[in-house]
Structure formats: C-alpha cells, structure tokens
Amino acid sequence: MTELSESHDDPFAQHLAAVAVLDDRGAVVGWNRRAQELLGHPDAAVLGRPALDVLVDPRDRPAARQAAARCRRTGGWFGVLKVRHSDGRLVEMGLRAHALTRDDGTREWFLAGALAIDVLEWQRDRAVLDGLYRRCPIGLVVHGPDLRLLRVNRAIERVTGVPAADFRGLPTGCFLLPDDARRAVDRVRRVLETGRPMVYSEQLVRMEWDPARERVAMVSSFPMEDPSGRILGVAEMIEDITERYRAQRRLAFLDQAGSRIGTTLEAAETARELAEAMVPHLADHASVDLLQQVTLGEEPAQALAGPVVRVGTSGVGARQPGPPHPQGEPVEFAPDTPEARCLAEGRPVLEPVLPPGWFSSQGRQGAHAPELGAHSLIVVPLAARGLVLGVMTLWRTRRPEPFEADDLTLAQELAARAAVAIDNARRFTQQQHTAFTLQSSLLPRTVPDQSAVEVALRYLPASAAPGLGGDWFDVIPLSGARVALVVGDVVGRGIHAAATMGRLRTAVHTLASLDLEPDEVLSRLDDLILLLAAEQEAAGERPVGEQVVGATCLYAVYDPVSGRCCAARAGHPPPVVTAPDGQAALLDLPAGPPLGLGGLPFEARDIELDEGSLLCLYTNGLIGERHLDADAGLATLRRALARPADALERTCQAVVDSLVPARPSDDVALLIARTRMLPPDDVASWQLPPEPASAARARELTSAQLAEWGLEHLAFTTELIASELVTNVYRYAGGPATLRLIRERSLVCEVSDTSHTSPHLRRARTTDEGGRGLFLVAQLAERWGTRYSRDGKTVWTEQPLGGAFT
C-alpha cells in the first residue's frame, strides 16, 4: 500500500484506489474494500481464484494476457482495461501494476485501479499544470503569504535569464528597480489582505542590470485558497505587453501630431508644423527640406535630388545638426549624404549609431558633432502620389537610446500625412488647370454607334475669357433606330458652370432613355435648373460671374424610318438645315424661353428631312463674336454648309475656319449631322384589329417577315414577343395595335396602341393565371422599353442579329 500516491486528488491515492494482489500464477490473494465497492465482488468471491476467470470477460482476455506479458518483461504496466462487475457489466478502469518480492523470495503483483474517466480527468489536470509551468508563454509567479516566491514558470526564466529554481525563497519584486518592486509588493499584499483578485494591472518592469530597457507587463493576480478558505498565497499571470503599450503611445502621438499638421494650405507652414511635432517626443532635432519646385507650386520630376529649400526646423537646443543651412535659400545636398539618397531613391534611411567623425566625412562641419553629440539619425521622404516632395531629417543628441525600426515607422507615418497636406497646398495653385481638365472630361469623347445620322463634332474652348464655359453637345441613340441630337450652353463661367453642364448632360441622357418628346425634355431640364439655382442660393454661393442662373438648349430627335425630325429649343439659336440640293436655311422653330425662368411652355415642331440633308446645331459662341454681326454670321454659316455632299469632317472644319477666330472669346460647340434613311425593305408594319385572333396573326406576319430577311433563328423569340405585346394591347388598351419590325444593327420589334397606360413588369406568383407576358418579353429581349407620344404609346424590344437571344 505504501507504493500508492498520497495526493488527495490522485485517483490512485491510497484512500481512493481499488487494490488487488495477484500471486505469480495470477490468482487473487488480496482484495480491498474499494475494489469491492467499484466491482461488487466480495472477498470470498475472488480470493484464491484466477483473476482472468473472475474479472476479465472472455472477449477481453487477449488484451489482458498481452498486458500481463508486458508487465512480466518490464516489471510494471499502466493502461486501461475493461473489468467485469459482479452483475456482469463491464467497467472501464485505469490500472497500474508492478512486481512485489516478499522476504521469502516469492513474487506477487500489486494492482491499483480507478475508474478510467477519473484517471483521464486527473491526467488532463496534470497536463494543464505541466503546460502552465513548462510551456505557457505567459509568465506565472506564485507568492507565499510571507511575500516570498514559491515558484515561477519557464516564461519568467526566459525573460529574466535567471533559472526558475533560483527564484524559490526570494522576496517579491526581486531583480526589479526599487520603484517597480514597490508597486509589485503592494499589489500582492493587497490581494492577500482583501482576498479579491486584481485583473489586468499594468506594471512597469525594469531590471536592475538593465535599467535603460523599459518593459511593460499586464498582471492579473488572484488568491490561492485551501478547501477551508484559508489563503495560501497569491498567483500572478504576467504578460509582456511592451509592444502593445508602445503601439498605443505611438497611436496617441499620431493622433495628437496629426491634428497639428496640415492646418493650412501653405506648404512652408505645414513643414514647420511637422518639424515641431517631432521634437521632443521622437527626436531632439528635426529639419524639413522641400524641393524647390514644390515651394514654387510645381510638380517635381521623379528621382530628383535637388535643389532643396529648408522650410522647417525644430530642436531642444540652440544649435542644429549639420552645416549652416539658411531657411528659404535653395541648396544642394552632397551626393553621398543620406538626404540625397533619400530624395533620389524615395526610401528612408535609418542610421541607429553614427560612427565618430561622421559629420566631417559627410561634408558637414566637424565642430558640430562634439557640441551636439548627435549619435543616431533618421531621414524619411515626404512622398505623395508617388512623387518625392522633400525629406525630413531627425537626430538624437540628448536621449541615449538610438532610433529603432518602430521610430522609423512612426516618422514615416507622420511624414506621409504632412506630404499629403504639402501636396494639397501645391495643387491648390493649379485649380484653373484642374477645372479645364474637368470640363473636357465631361464632354463626349466618341460618337456612339447608330445608323440614323453621320456626325462631325467640334469643341473649341475660349482662350481669353476667365474661367470655364458650360457648352456641350451629345449624340444619344434611341429606340426604333432613332437618334437624339443635343446642344446646350450654361449661362455663366467658372467651375460652377462646368459642373452644372455635367449635371445637365447626365439629366438629358436620363430623360432621353425615357423616350420623352423634345418639349417635355426641355420642361424637365427647366425644373432641374430651378432646383440647382435654389441649392446655390441656400448654400450662399453667390460669387460674381460664377452664379449659374440658367442655360439654353436645343433638343432634336431624328427618325431614319420616316425621315421626320422633331425639335424644340429653349432660348438657343435655331439649327441650320441644308437640303441635298445645297439650299441652307434656319429651321423655323419656336424660340422658347431659356432654361431656368420657369413656368413658360416649350413647343416642339416636326419637319421632314430628305436623306443626305445636313442638320447643324451650335452654341452662341459660333456666331456671337463681338466683331461679327449675328445675321452676317448666320449667312457665313449657311455658305459653309452649302455643299452637303462633301465629306462631313471637311464641312465641319470649313465652318470653324469661316467663323471661329484663332483666339475665340467664347466657347464653341458645333455638331453637324447628315441624315440617313433606312431602306424600305428593312421596315415592315401592320395594323391589327383589337381581337383575340390578332396575336396569332402577329406570329404569322412576324415569322414570314423574318424568313424573308433570313433571320429564321430569331423567329421563335420574336413571335413570342410580338404575340405577348399584341395580346397586352387587346386585353388592356382596347384599341387597334400597330406591329412594326425594323432590321437595323439589331432586330427591333414595336407594338403601338392608343393607350397611355404604362405596362407593369412584375413577377407572377405560382397561383396567378396571368401576368407573365411582359416578364417573358424582358427575358427574351436584349433591351426593351416604352415611349409615349401624343397619340398613345409604343412598347419596343431589341434583339441582336447574330443569333437567338439567350
């Protein structure tokens, strides 16, 4: 029995374990009370009998014999076996066996057992305890009630370099500087006295043999108690949070310094703020040098090493490191200096320890080095948008520790923030150039593909007037092979006019996609101008020459199937129409009020244009030059357009050469379109009565027409589209339907009726008997939509000609 563990929680302890003794033949010669309690066998039932017969199930005997053989070979065994209970069930038990030799030389076998679940739980607890003391990366310290150390784990050993065994009996706080040791003792004493844990206390940790190295630990302390509640000591979990603590300090410094840097749009002021933010938190001395081009508001070239201008300095002493460098005067860095390398390569330089004589070897005044005692250096680039604008140089003279990688990272972060502010200040001087770039980006750069017209475009910005104009033009493909031609002019100049032009152009595209009539489009634009003016007034934007008060616009829609053009204008010069025979005249179009007046109607007019006619749209700058009478300008324009058969680009250039001076005083937008007509064979149209049979008739007509055009591969989808649209007319419109097919760049299918009710696309429920027609149409067509006219509406679809739409 003395071989058993005496640990109170050890399942093999003397008072917990089931014990059996076997003779050398395997018969049971000893059996304790605990064994009887666990297995139900009384002494009389097992003593003298073979253990294999009484305690082991026949199916488990091979495993038992294998364990016995190993025990005989090695003198002991430990493992898990199933033992038979007196009621026949099997009990899984953990067993320990080892040999005993009596005084007379006979050998017996001592078996101690416990329930396997208790053994496994005990082993896990042992493993956890072993992990805490041997493998845990977090420090563990156990203090006794007398404030002396009882035990530390390997993590404490690795941090201090002192073997764990040497800590036993030492006072709490040993090896720490007095101030840090006193805080550690006070914390342990408080836990001992109150019995309450202290969680997540920050502790400064500085060792006696390395006082300059500062560490910070997070300590959680809790009391250790026996079953009666008596406090046996204090255990502490100690985690090194030095890096986290430093990171928090860096973030706080970044936040504080970031709020001080870039408060103005002046590059020199930002540079001074940067230098002052660095001292004394990060460096003892700081200087900021910008490339001369940056100080002049210009964009520097790549990999430029100078000249530079010192625009910001700060330091803890009167003298600054380096040679005399007057602020405001351009100088060149010596080629091999860290500053020159940083400028040329755009990479930071970290010199943790400067060798003796470094200042002299770098072309600096040697007398400065002994006085200043500079021993560590950082140079970081001031870079924004991939361009190096200058450098910031930091020195340490009074602080003994050298610069580290973390210091370099912090300096780079603040330098990057300052560089953005400096670059913003530089770019502020280029606002006019940026505004002109904005205007050009808002204008169309290419003419979209369409079959209705051939187009030539010109945009000529004013060269003498201040600010920007708001002229624009557009060519917008519409449904049914039609096209919208737009020219407009925003009143006023400046970036507000250019921005308003972009918003109006976007609005025109949106309204065009709704297939509204030209006069309706102008009415909607008029509402938008009033809204923009109200926004500007509410915001207090009333600069002279920039307040947008209105705009003019001409909107025309040309249909190559019918040859008809519908146009309306809002205070804009009328277009010039040139017939194929060369007769050019102003289109008789109601003037309409300029956009932005509000409340006045616009009127559209339809005209028929022969194929090959020219339609010229322009802004007032083309004929509104001060030295040119408007009537004379229109006459010159008509003469320039009198040869409609000429190449359109040549005609467009002839107009510019005739009317636009070398330096125009106003922006000019010019759009010339030559009309085309779709061949009659590419258009088919039928009138269908309002009856159920019209859907079948529509399928027949569609199938026959597509066969004639060689588009049989589109027959199925087009028949279905036409049938569904005609059925909708019969069911909901009540009047006759017009079915039209157009073979153009795509196959267009249109169904028109006299109703203005808008078709509604929805997803039908499984129980609905209808409501899926328009959904099918939308799935089968590449594009679809609805346009309205005074006589009703037209639902149209488009399918690519190349193959069946899937």
Side-chain angles (χ1 to χ4, degrees):
M1 297 294 183
T2 57
E3 299 293 333
L4 293 175
S5 171
E6 296 303 325
S7 173
H8 73 277
D9 59 348
D10 185 352
F12 295 106
Q14 182 175 1
H15 63 288
L16 296 177
V19 176
V21 180
L22 309 181
D23 62 16
D24 204 29
R25 293 173 300 174
V28 180
V29 296
W31 190 254
N32 76 344
R33 183 182 299 275
R34 182 59 177 164
Q36 181 175 340
E37 292 173 354
L38 289 178
L39 299 175
H41 298 285
D43 295 352
V46 295
L47 291 177
R49 298 180 62 186
L52 286 177
D53 296 339
V54 180
L55 302 177
V56 180
D57 188 89
R59 292 170 295 182
D60 297 324
R61 287 175 183 174
R65 289 192 178 97
Q66 184 179 2
R70 183 175 178 182
C71 187
R72 291 180 181 276
R73 288 195 307 270
T74 62
W77 177 83
F78 172 76
V80 177
L81 284 177
K82 292 181 180 178
V83 181
R84 188 163 55 187
H85 195 275
S86 62
D87 60 8
R89 58 188 172 91
L90 298 179
V91 180
E92 195 171 37
M93 297 188 66
L95 299 174
R96 284 181 180 175
H98 61 272
L100 292 176
T101 304
R102 293 187 176 277
D103 296 339
D104 57 1
T106 59
R107 185 171 60 173
E108 293 180 341
W109 300 95
F110 185 87
L111 274 70
L115 293 177
I117 188 172
D118 295 336
V119 174
L120 291 176
E121 183 177 354
W122 176 70
Q123 287 180 319
R124 282 194 296 266
D125 292 343
R126 295 274 299 216
V128 170
L129 195 61
D130 179 73
L132 286 174
Y133 280 102
R134 296 179 181 275
R135 299 174 180 83
C136 181
I138 298 176
L140 176 63
V141 179
V142 180
H143 308 266
D146 57 354
L147 296 180
R148 290 190 174 273
L149 301 180
L150 299 178
R151 190 173 182 182
V152 301
N153 68 349
R154 295 280 178 84
I156 299 295
E157 179 181 292
R158 287 191 294 270
V159 171
T160 61
V162 178
D166 294 349
F167 279 86
R168 186 181 299 273
L170 294 176
T172 297
C174 60
F175 306 136
L176 295 180
L177 291 181
D179 289 343
D180 300 343
R182 185 166 47 254
R183 282 190 288 270
V185 171
D186 291 343
R187 181 178 59 253
V188 175
R189 182 179 288 115
R190 189 177 304 116
V191 174
L192 284 171
E193 293 173 352
T194 63
R196 292 193 298 269
M198 294 183 62
V199 182
Y200 301 144
S201 301
E202 286 190 0
Q203 168 74 57
L204 194 61
V205 180
R206 292 170 294 180
M207 298 298 177
E208 291 179 337
W209 56 80
D210 190 10
R213 185 179 182 185
E214 184 178 281
R215 294 177 181 171
V216 180
M218 183 73 73
V219 183
S220 293
S221 310
F222 55 93
M224 299 182 299
E225 300 177 351
D226 62 12
S228 66
R230 182 168 56 95
I231 295 179
L232 303 177
V234 174
E236 290 188 319
M237 304 295 292
I238 303 175
E239 181 183 2
D240 189 344
I241 61 166
T242 304
E243 296 303 321
R244 188 193 316 169
Y245 179 78
R246 291 178 178 175
Q248 291 173 347
R249 291 182 58 185
R250 287 195 295 268
L251 288 175
F253 173 62
L254 279 174
D255 181 65
Q256 180 184 7
S259 63
R260 297 171 49 192
I261 298 173
T263 58
T264 66
L265 276 175
E266 296 182 10
E269 181 61 25
T270 300
R272 286 191 292 269
E273 292 169 347
L274 176 62
E276 292 171 358
M278 291 294 156
V279 179
H281 180 86
L282 188 62
D284 297 322
H285 300 276
S287 65
V288 178
D289 302 285
L290 297 181
L291 290 169
Q292 187 178 18
Q293 291 92 329
V294 175
T295 62
L296 299 176
E298 302 172 2
E299 186 164 299
Q302 292 281 3
L304 196 63
V308 298
V309 177
R310 178 155 292 179
V311 291
T313 60
S314 182
V316 295
R319 301 289 300 275
Q320 300 295 319
H325 191 163
Q327 290 191 207
E329 297 183 11
V331 297
E332 294 277 357
F333 286 122
D336 295 333
T337 58
E339 292 89 341
R341 297 201 311 271
C342 183
L343 278 174
E345 301 174 5
R347 298 179 181 178
V349 176
L350 171 61
E351 296 286 349
V353 179
L354 297 176
W358 182 84
F359 280 85
S360 300
S361 65
Q362 294 295 318
R364 304 171 182 266
Q365 290 188 354
H368 285 188
E371 284 188 25
L372 293 168
H375 59 85
S376 193
L377 171 72
I378 282 180
V379 184
V380 294
L382 300 173
R385 300 180 302 108
L387 296 175
V388 178
L389 310 177
V391 294
M392 176 178 67
T393 308
L394 305 177
W395 291 270
R396 279 188 177 172
T397 58
R398 297 188 178 184
R399 298 176 61 172
E401 63 271 16
F403 284 120
E404 299 177 346
D406 288 344
D407 300 321
L408 177 61
T409 301
L410 185 58
Q412 285 180 287
E413 174 67 23
L414 287 174
R417 295 189 185 188
V420 172
I422 291 171
D423 189 53
N424 287 339
R426 179 191 62 79
R427 295 169 65 191
F428 182 72
T429 61
Q430 300 176 335
Q431 181 181 9
Q432 189 71 11
H433 172 73
T434 303
F436 276 108
T437 303
L438 168 66
Q439 184 187 40
S440 63
S441 67
L442 293 175
L443 293 171
R445 301 188 180 185
T446 59
V447 178
D449 292 336
Q450 41 80 38
S451 304
V453 293
E454 177 189 359
V455 178
L457 304 168
R458 291 290 188 279
Y459 179 81
L460 305 171
S463 58
L468 305 171
D471 295 18
W472 90 93
F473 48 72
D474 251 316
V475 179
I476 308 173
L478 303 177
S479 63
R482 300 169 306 133
V483 67
L485 306 174
V486 189
V487 171
D489 185 2
V490 175
V491 177
R493 304 195 65 79
I495 195 168
H496 287 284
T500 303
M501 176 266 289
R503 298 174 74 172
L504 288 180
R505 180 171 177 253
T506 301
V508 169
H509 273 264
T510 302
L511 296 171
S513 67
L514 300 176
D515 274 320
L516 300 177
E517 296 287 339
D519 54 339
E520 181 66 17
V521 170
L522 295 181
S523 295
R524 301 287 182 89
L525 289 179
D526 186 47
D527 295 339
L528 178 60
I529 288 290
L530 292 174
L531 177 61
L532 296 179
E535 289 179 353
Q536 287 189 344
E537 183 176 357
E541 298 176 0
R542 310 181 69 89
V544 177
E546 292 188 354
Q547 180 75 8
V548 177
V549 296
T552 65
C553 183
L554 173 64
Y555 187 89
V557 176
Y558 174 69
D559 186 350
V561 176
S562 63
R564 299 186 65 82
C565 178
C566 181
R569 63 187 178 119
H572 203 82
V576 176
V577 177
T578 304
D581 60 3
Q583 295 295 320
L586 290 176
L587 181 61
D588 184 14
L589 196 63
L595 299 174
L597 295 184
L600 300 176
F602 300 94
E603 184 178 350
R605 181 160 297 176
D606 289 345
I607 61 169
E608 291 189 4
L609 298 177
D610 295 329
E611 185 172 15
S613 299
L614 297 184
L615 186 62
C616 179
L617 285 66
Y618 53 90
T619 56
N620 192 56
L622 185 68
I623 60 173
E625 289 289 337
R626 295 179 180 178
H627 67 278
L628 187 66
D629 179 77
D631 292 336
L634 289 174
T636 304
L637 176 60
R638 289 195 295 269
R639 287 194 298 270
L641 296 171
R643 300 173 62 87
D646 288 355
L648 202 58
E649 285 293 332
R650 184 187 306 168
T651 301
C652 191
Q653 189 59 44
V655 171
V656 172
D657 294 341
S658 302
L659 290 167
V660 181
R663 297 178 59 83
S665 60
D666 194 6
D667 295 354
V668 175
L670 174 64
L671 185 157
I672 304 177
R674 177 182 285 127
T675 62
R676 297 169 176 156
M677 293 286 289
L678 290 183
D681 293 342
D682 288 342
V683 182
S685 179
W686 305 276
Q687 191 84 9
L688 300 175
E691 59 186 28
S694 294
R697 178 60 178 162
R699 291 195 295 271
E700 295 174 0
L701 295 171
T702 299
S703 178
Q705 186 62 55
L706 292 182
E708 181 180 337
W709 282 343
L711 300 177
E712 293 89 347
H713 58 283
L714 295 176
F716 175 77
T717 55
T718 310
E719 286 180 31
L720 183 55
I721 290 172
S723 174
E724 292 294 342
L725 295 181
V726 170
T727 299
N728 282 346
V729 173
Y730 164 71
R731 294 181 62 182
Y732 304 112
T738 301
L739 171 64
R740 185 168 73 165
L741 298 179
I742 302 174
R743 180 178 62 176
E744 191 226 0
R745 295 176 182 269
S746 59
L747 177 62
V748 179
C749 177
E750 297 181 343
V751 175
S752 304
D753 58 63
T754 58
S755 171
H756 288 86
T757 302
S758 174
H760 177 59
L761 178 64
R762 66 185 180 91
R763 188 180 296 274
R765 295 171 296 186
T766 55
T767 57
D768 290 346
E769 296 182 0
R772 299 175 178 83
L774 198 57
F775 181 78
L776 289 175
V777 170
Q779 298 300 309
L780 294 173
E782 184 178 50
R783 297 176 60 237
W784 77 280
T786 305
R787 66 175 180 268
Y788 298 89
S789 64
R790 294 176 178 83
D791 300 327
K793 71 173 181 299
T794 298
V795 181
W796 56 269
T797 67
E798 291 183 3
Q799 301 175 79
L801 297 179
F805 181 76
T806 57

